[in-house]
Amino acid sequence: MLGFLVRRIMVMIPTLLAISAITFVIIQLPPGDYLTTLMTELESRGEAIDESRLQFLREAYGLDRPMIEQYFVWVGGMLTGDYGFSFEYNRPVADVIGDRMLLTIVVSFATIVFIWVVSFPIGIYSATHQYSLGDYGLTFLGFLGLATPNFLLALVLLYFANVTFGTSIGGLMDPVYLDAPWSWGKVLSILEHLWIPVIVIGTSGTAGMIRRLRANLLDELHKQYVVTARAKGLSPGRVLWKYPLRMAINPFISDIGNLLPQIVSGAAVVSIVLSLPTTGPMLLDALRSQDMYLAGSFLMFLALLTVVGVFLSDLALAALDPRIRLEGGATR
Amino acid sequence: MRFHRIRAGCLALAAITFLATVPASAAVETPFFAEQVAAGKLPPIGERLPAEPRVVTFDDDGAQQGQPGGDMNMLMARAKDVRIMFAYFYARLMTYTTDLTLEPDILRSIDIEDNRVFTLHLRPGHRWSDGSPFTAEDFRYWWEDVILNKDVPPFGAPPEMLAGGEPPVFEVLDETTVRYTWNRPNPLFLPALAAARPLEIFGPAAYLKKFHVKYADPAELKDQVKAAGQKSWAHLHNRMDNAYDNDNPDLPTLQPWINTTAAPAERFVFVRNPFYHRVDPAGNQLPYIDRLLVQIADGKIIPAKAGAGEADLQARYLRFDNYTFLKQAAKRNGYKVDLWKTGNGAHLALFPNLNAADPVWRDLFRDVRFRRALSLGIDRDEINQAIYYGLAKPSNNTVLPRSPLFRPEYRDAWTRFDVREANRLLDEMGLNKRGGGDIRLMPDGRAMEIIVETAGESTEEVDVLELIADSWRKIGVKLFTKPSQLEVLRNRIYAGQTLMAIGKGVDNGIPTADMAPAEFVPMDQNQYQWPKWGQFYQTGGTAGEKPDLPAAVELMDLMGQWRTAPDTSARAEVWHRILGIHADQVFTIGLVNGTLQPVVVRSTLRNVPDEGIFNWDPGAHFGIYRPDTFWFAKPG
């Protein structure tokens, strides 16, 4: 087991390095750099910026160095906890991202809870009442949520909430609370705004969850040990809870690897449409304006979370399901 | 008020002063500051105003005296957009009035000799927003330690401070008087001071010296550079000295409001400046509105937020096609929607590339008959009706009727839809051979297919090109649309790979004779019709191509004449010759102008004109209408 752990951690390092190189190259691929973006933006309003000032800024941001050197400066900085400098915000990247992290985690966490709370009962019901009216009806609802375009649903709900409840459009709280300290009013205002993104992002995730749980449970329910348990007179509820459900949860555990990065960057499109103060829109803007270090450090952070998440879900699976062996993985 | 005194010889000296004055003792304490004054944290109003504050008058149409108080909400898409607020504030050394005459604002008065010698008089007792005195030292510091310092941008005098390539001689006459003397006239100087993004010739010296190697304690400065993560003291200074960017809450300002929030933030709070230099006739210190709250939201959602009544004043990020939606919710959410005219010389224009790399096309584009034929082959009325609901005006890319330089022939030359005349011109050029689909053949036998490139930012441009393609087919010219991306498009234009581009016309469609005709002369490679000539001028002849078309050479000469013209009427004459050449030569093919900008205004907000002009420079969008005089009426 210890050998497995060490090996896994050793593999992570080259993985992350490869990701960092690819990320850096892709961010640099579009023509120009942050300063050309800045220049065009200024000129679109009829302002001019002269070449000498551009050169000065290029030096300040280190954009005049060769690409490979820029890369090593960035990676070296990350190892020492310096994620570089955001041009757009004119501040260190760590400060910029930190501000938005909390609300992002709140939104994503609420969404994940929503998905589980909705899809679990439905999935169990669908499996135990296969081909019933309820099974079809609820599954249909789930697919409907999957099929409606998120951004459209978001806009419709926004309009609806504004007209009927007078909720302010977009954002996560009423403008009056934006820089106010935490208070009950602020929390309530956040809850008032939170339900829209949660429903929008959640509905698209429930269908998959329902189907997977249903399929896994159906597999388990027809197995011999279930029949035996039934024959011995256990109540149907106990039969369901004791073993089959635990077996059926496997895919959810292996999903943790994907969940972690999702908590941080989940549903960027919806966040953009709803103008949520989360990290998704920030990442998109950073990519668009070629704010290199902000975008790069961000993507690296997501990569790290994915790698760690997969690692954790492997460990959890091994602990939960004795059928899974770790030793085979190393020789493959 | 303006009066000219003629001295001996023919030395004209214009002095511009304000006659109305309110003694500082008659000023009324602002309720917003009453508590701070009582607690002794802030001096009383009489000590906060300069000895001669600027008294604003309300003789403009419909504006009225107001009452102080209230918060104004606005929406912006990005943290960086707070720089636009600096334009809205529009306190400048010199400002434009709404009829585009220049008057001193921060300055008490200014004396001008021959457009060469400018003597600036400050207001005694004027203070920065942190209470420190605003004096000639702030000008000296900026001139000697920033502009002339080779380590800090702008690395020498900016172009507006050069006359005949020479910088001025700067003198401090006394604590409140400075003088700039050029050897030749510099007509660019005053308009640059009054621009939306003004020419900076002063800065808060007392504050900035903390970051300047010449004045700061070396050890402390080193620590500060390190703490800010900057490369050198010059970079730190440059980071701290951007008055226009509004990104440093510690930087003292003379504007009506002070930014108190550092990026990144979801909301930026601007608080009134206790030392602001303008008062109303009743002695209330301006601005009327206590705080501006700028909320950051994604640009695409801003129309929806404005429609929900979340903005008290909003124009940026609202497009004409949002108008119906905004209008529909206006009553319910307590605002009104005005339509302001935009100030572009043409909302859209076609730019035939006279520097195209393809020699056959280049020769065709340089033939004035070809350009005229293309212009005559466009049905501008149809475009106006189909795309702009008939609310725009068919027009060349030239000055708007609001400009004193306007003449109908500039707008209308070659803009009628006349297929027969267009075909006659093309036949006369010898382009009478036709190939498949009745498309004319070029001299080298290729089919005449013009690819027009757009930046692809709006479908509007593509729709317009679709209509032009239909009417050009009638003159035997085929049009293809190629959307790309702005930076890519520009690089293709600079290199001559683009045959023709579509884009906005001149930025300033309401110039006066005293504003430089630079947009009509090959001086910038961003002029899509002659990028290489513009580059030639910009780089001092080291890159690009020397203008070789007689009309373009003449434009360059006229620009030189405009610079050295002795007075306004001589400059107007030069302007008219330039505009005449443009109308006759059709260097750019303007389509429509006078398009409309929706402006959302809270029902209780007063003094915002119903029909303004939405222009960047001159105008600073809202700035020229003095947002410091906007006020909220009590509901009821």
Side-chain angles (χ1 to χ4, degrees), chain A residues 31, chain B residues 453 484-493 497-498:
Chain B
E453 303 188 20
S484 76
Q485 200 241 337
L486 188 59
E487 277 134 50
V488 179
L489 171 70
R490 285 195 167 167
N491 285 325
R492 286 179 52 83
I493 292 173
Q497 292 161 323
T498 301

Side-chain angles (χ1 to χ4, degrees), chain B residues 36-233:
Chain B
Q36 290 180 53
V37 172
K41 288 180 187 159
L42 206 61
I45 180 78
E47 295 167 33
R48 296 204 309 266
L49 287 169
E52 293 177 40
R54 177 178 180 189
V55 183
V56 300
T57 48
F58 296 100
D59 41 17
D60 285 7
D61 48 325
Q64 46 191 318
Q65 200 166 296
Q67 57 205 23
D71 292 349
M72 181 154 83
N73 289 289
M74 299 175 103
L75 304 164
M76 290 285 172
R78 308 159 67 182
K80 274 219 310 250
D81 282 345
V82 293
R83 65 177 56 215
I84 312 292
M85 302 304 288
F86 194 88
Y88 291 176
F89 292 170
Y90 206 54
R92 301 287 183 267
L93 293 173
M94 303 287 292
T95 49
Y96 283 110
T97 59
T98 42
D99 57 7
L100 299 183
T101 49
L102 282 167
E103 57 181 19
D105 167 31
I106 290 172
L107 297 179
R108 185 168 52 92
S109 63
I110 182 164
D111 302 327
I112 308 156
E113 282 176 55
D114 291 350
N115 253 336
R116 275 190 327 105
V117 185
F118 297 85
T119 311
L120 283 55
H121 301 279
L122 309 184
R123 298 174 189 273
H126 196 165
R127 292 168 182 276
W128 289 96
S129 57
D130 63 349
S132 59
F134 166 58
T135 63
E137 170 62 12
D138 297 314
F139 287 78
R140 187 213 57 82
Y141 175 81
W142 198 261
W143 176 249
E144 288 176 8
D145 295 319
V146 178
I147 290 184
L148 295 186
N149 189 316
K150 285 287 173 250
D151 296 329
V152 196
F155 316 109
E160 298 89 347
M161 296 191 81
L162 298 174
E166 296 286 318
V169 173
F170 171 82
E171 304 157 85
V172 175
L173 302 188
D174 61 42
E175 176 129 303
T176 56
T177 319
V178 293
R179 175 176 290 162
Y180 295 86
T181 309
W182 280 272
N183 290 329
R184 299 204 193 155
N186 182 3
L188 300 174
F189 186 55
L190 292 186
L193 296 181
R197 178 168 197 165
L199 168 68
E200 291 177 331
I201 60 169
F202 65 92
Y207 171 80
L208 289 174
K209 280 175 182 173
K210 289 191 284 193
F211 310 109
H212 200 296
V213 72
K214 199 165 134 189
Y215 303 95
D217 175 82
E220 265 177 49
L221 187 59
K222 211 168 160 181
D223 290 345
Q224 277 183 311
V225 170
K226 212 172 148 136
Q230 298 287 346
K231 273 208 162 51
S232 72
W233 74 266

Side-chain angles (χ1 to χ4, degrees), chain B residues 357-370:
Chain B
D358 182 325
V360 184
W361 274 116
R362 189 175 56 226
D363 292 340
L364 283 176
F365 285 145
R366 290 187 177 201
D367 190 324
V368 66
R369 291 171 297 179
F370 190 70

Side-chain angles (χ1 to χ4, degrees), chain A residues 31-34 36-48 50 52-53 56-57 59-62 65 85 87-91 95-96 99-100 155 158-159 162-163 167-171 173 175-180 272-277 282 285 288-290, chain B residues 73 77-81 83-84 151-155 197 200 228-232 234-235 238-239 241-242 244 247 261-269 295-298 300-301 304-305 307-308 310 316 325 328 332-333 485-488 490-491 494 507 524 526 616 621:
Chain A
D33 54 22
Y34 174 74
T36 48
T37 318
L38 180 74
M39 207 167 82
T40 350
E41 187 199 341
L42 289 178
E43 281 169 350
S44 69
R45 268 204 314 277
E47 295 176 30
D50 58 289
S52 53
R53 187 182 281 256
F56 179 80
L57 289 171
E59 266 167 49
Y61 298 146
R65 309 245 164 229
F85 198 78
F87 311 144
E88 175 87 15
Y89 294 91
N90 227 328
R91 294 177 43 170
D95 302 5
V96 176
D99 269 14
R100 295 192 165 212
L155 285 176
L158 266 190
Y159 180 79
N162 175 257
V163 172
T167 310
S168 65
I169 296 253
M173 58 191 88
V176 291
Y177 293 111
L178 270 178
D179 26 26
I272 289 161
V273 169
L274 296 174
S275 183
L276 302 180
M282 188 181 255
D285 280 343
R288 276 175 35 187
S289 66
Q290 303 215 23
Chain B
N73 289 289
R78 308 159 67 182
K80 274 219 310 250
D81 282 345
R83 65 177 56 215
I84 312 292
D151 296 329
V152 196
F155 316 109
R197 178 168 197 165
E200 291 177 331
Q230 298 287 346
K231 273 208 162 51
S232 72
H235 287 113
N238 183 49
R239 164 83 185 79
D241 72 9
N242 302 314
Y244 175 78
D247 62 354
T261 318
E266 287 306 298
R267 185 163 77 151
F268 289 82
V269 179
Q295 200 192 332
I296 305 296
D298 188 78
K300 291 184 207 56
I301 206 173
K305 284 176 91 74
E310 291 183 35
R316 201 167 159 76
F325 160 78
Q328 183 202 356
R332 191 177 65 226
N333 292 321
Q485 200 241 337
L486 188 59
E487 277 134 50
V488 179
R490 285 195 167 167
N491 285 325
Y494 300 160
D507 282 324
D524 188 333
N526 268 325
W616 176 249
H621 289 174

